[in-house]
Amino acid sequence: MVAKLMTIQSPNIKKKVAIIGGGINGLCSAWLCAQQGFEVHLYEKETLMSQTSRCSSKLLHGGLRYLEYLQFSLVRESLQERKFWLEAAPELTNDIELVIPLYKGGIHKRWEYKIGLVLYDFLAGKNNLGKHRYLTKDEVVSTFPSIETNGLTGAYAYHDGQMDDYELGLWVSRQLTDLGGTISENTKITKVTNEGLVTLESGEKFQYDCVVNACGPWAQELVARSNIDCEVKLKLVRGTHIIIPQISDKALYLENKESKRLFFVLPYKGNTLVGTTEEVHDLSNKIEPTEKEINYLIGALNKFFDNQITQTDIIESFAGARPLIFESTKLMNEVSREYKIKRNQKLINVFGGKWTTSRKLGESVLEHVLKVIK
Ligand SMILES: Cc1cc2nc3c(=O)[nH]c(=O)nc-3n(C[C@H](O)[C@H](O)[C@H](O)COP(=O)(O)OP(=O)(O)OC[C@H]3O[C@@H](n4cnc5c(N)ncnc54)[C@H](O)[C@@H]3O)c2cc1C
C-alpha cells in the first residue's frame, strides 16, 4: 500500500510534517515520513525514548498470550515485525528461547500451550526463529537446577526476539536524522489544531501541512487540552519490572497461579529482568514502580526458586504506562494491543500499539499523511 502511494508524492515538494512524541511510535512515524521525502520535525517534551518505550519487557514478540483472545492478525503482524527488527539491527537484538515450565494444576493445560505454540509457529511462517519443543522434567531441571520441582511435569520452549529498547529507539532516531529529519527535545507541545497549527510551551506557534500526535499515554491528554473531540479513549495500564543479579542465562515465562497471570524472567545484559505487573494508571500520578508491585514480583519469583530474593537484591526497577484502547467490556489483559489512527483534517492522532509493531504503525501513519498532503 505504501509502495503504491509513494509514486503520488513528488520528492521535490517539501511538505512539512510535525511529529509530537519521541517514543518508538513517534520515531517510526517520523522515520517513515522522512523516507517519503517530507520535511519532518519531531518534538519531544523530555528526551528521546525516555518514557514507555524504554520501560518495556524488551521483547520483540508476537505475543503468545494474545492468541488466547484470538488476536491472530496482531500476532501475525508482530511476528513479521519481529523478524524486521532482528535483521535491521542485529547488534541491538537477539533471538531468545523462552521456557514455560508446566506444573500440575497450572493456569493453562499442556494441550492449551501445545495448540498455542503450533499456531504461533504457523503464524510466524517463513519468519519463524525456530520451532517450539517439549522438555522433559529432567531437561528442565538440568537447564534450571534451582527451579521448584514440586508438581513440575515438563516444559515447552519457544522462540521470540529480545532487544535493547532504548538503544534500538535511538538507532531509529539516527535513521531519521540521516534522512534530514530534525528533533527538538525538552520541547512540550501544549496545543494542536485540526488545521496543522502547533503551539509550544514557550508560546511559539508553527504551521505544518500535517501534524501527528504520537504522545503515547499522553495522546488523549493533548487532544483534550486542545479542545478537540475524539471518539477513542485510552486506558493506561502501568507495568513494573525489576532487575536482579542473574538467576540464569536462559529465559522463563512463568505462571503466577494467585494472580492468574504470566510473567517473564529474562536474561538481560548480564542480569535478570523480571516483569511485569498490570495496574490501572492515572496520569496525575508519577509513572514509577510501587512497593506493592515490587513485592508482587519478588513474591511471584520466589515461588519458583530455592534462592529467595529480597528488596536488597534489586539493582534497578522501572515502570511504564501502556496506552491501551479503552473497551468497557474487557478486562485489562484482554484488551487488544492493536493501535488506532484517527485523522481529522491535518491532524493525525495515534492511539495504542506495541513496540514490536511500531514500524507498521509508522507505515499506517504515513498512509494517512499522504491522504492529508495530496
Ligand atoms: C510494562 C510494559 C512492558 C511492555 N513490553 C513490551 C514488549 O516487551 N514488547 C512490545 O512490543 N511492547 C511492549 N510494551 C508496549 C510498548 O512499550 C508501548 O506500546 C510503546 O513503547 C509505546 O510507545 P509510544 O511511542 O506510543 O509511547 P512513549 O514511549 O511513551 O512515547 C510518547 C512520547 O511522547 C512524549 N510526549 C507526551 N506528551 C507530549 C507533548 N505534549 N509534547 C511533546 N512530547 C510529548 C512523551 O514524553 C514520550 O516520550 C510494553 C509496555 C509496558 C508498559
Side-chain angles (χ1 to χ4, degrees), residues 126-329:
K126 63 179 173 31
N127 299 313
N128 210 354
L129 303 174
K131 281 221 158 77
H132 75 275
R133 63 190 178 106
Y134 182 75
L135 278 75
T136 62
K137 179 177 174 178
D138 287 348
E139 285 171 324
V140 180
V141 175
S142 74
T143 313
F144 303 98
S146 61
I147 199 165
E148 174 63 76
T149 51
N150 190 14
L152 180 69
T153 56
Y156 276 116
Y158 72 103
H159 288 258
D160 251 325
Q162 194 181 27
M163 62 176 158
D164 180 333
D165 52 5
Y166 176 65
E167 288 296 338
L168 192 53
L170 294 188
W171 177 88
V172 175
S173 78
R174 288 193 293 278
Q175 311 308 307
L176 168 64
T177 51
D178 285 353
L179 290 168
T182 50
I183 297 169
S184 297
E185 293 181 293
N186 303 307
T187 308
K188 185 173 178 176
I189 302 304
T190 51
K191 195 177 173 196
V192 288
T193 68
N194 288 333
E195 292 75 33
L197 191 67
V198 166
T199 306
L200 276 55
E201 202 168 34
S202 61
E204 287 173 284
K205 292 181 198 294
F206 296 97
Q207 180 64 45
Y208 288 91
D209 296 296
C210 188
V211 175
V212 179
N213 164 15
C215 290
W218 296 270
Q220 192 184 324
E221 189 188 78
L222 179 61
V223 173
R225 206 185 313 123
S226 305
N227 294 320
I228 294 172
D229 284 338
C230 185
E231 74 244 44
V232 181
K233 298 275 173 278
L234 285 179
K235 178 170 195 165
L236 304 183
V237 178
R238 190 180 61 249
T240 286
H241 289 86
I242 54 174
I243 294 182
I244 55 173
Q246 190 166 79
I247 293 177
S248 168
D249 60 357
K250 304 278 185 307
L252 285 159
Y253 195 16
L254 297 170
E255 290 187 341
N256 183 356
K257 283 189 209 163
E258 279 75 43
S259 65
K260 298 212 176 337
R261 294 187 37 241
L262 284 95
F263 65 102
F264 295 109
V265 180
L266 307 169
Y268 190 66
K269 295 190 171 183
N271 293 314
T272 290
L273 176 70
V274 185
T276 176
T277 56
E278 281 191 343
E279 297 287 332
V280 175
H281 187 81
D282 176 347
L283 273 185
S284 56
N285 298 320
K286 203 170 168 205
I287 305 171
E288 59 187 0
T290 63
E291 185 90 357
K292 187 178 146 210
E293 287 172 293
I294 288 175
N295 287 335
Y296 166 85
L297 291 173
I298 292 174
L301 185 67
N302 281 344
K303 291 201 179 73
F304 289 92
F305 290 97
D306 293 342
N307 293 342
Q308 300 286 290
I309 65 149
T310 65
Q311 286 212 11
T312 54
D313 294 308
I314 296 174
I315 298 167
E316 192 189 331
S317 63
F318 56 86
R322 214 185 269 272
L324 302 179
I325 312 291
F326 178 71
E327 292 172 84
S328 59
T329 54

Side-chain angles (χ1 to χ4, degrees), residues 21 23-25 44-45 52-53 56-57 59 61 189 216-217 353 355-356:
I24 195 58
N25 286 329
E44 165 54 49
K45 72 177 166 65
T52 327
S53 300
S56 78
S57 303
L59 288 173
H61 63 162
I189 302 304
W355 212 114
T356 310

Side-chain angles (χ1 to χ4, degrees), residues 15-27:
K15 296 281 187 179
K16 289 166 71 177
V17 178
I19 309 281
I20 310 169
I24 195 58
N25 286 329
L27 283 165

Side-chain angles (χ1 to χ4, degrees), residues 108-119:
H108 295 101
K109 308 247 175 341
R110 178 177 164 177
W111 63 264
E112 291 175 321
Y113 279 118
K114 179 71 190 171
I115 290 174
L117 290 166
V118 167
L119 207 51

Side-chain angles (χ1 to χ4, degrees), residues 24-36:
I24 195 58
N25 286 329
L27 283 165
C28 281
S29 301
W31 180 28
L32 270 289
C33 288
Q35 282 178 33
Q36 184 67 21

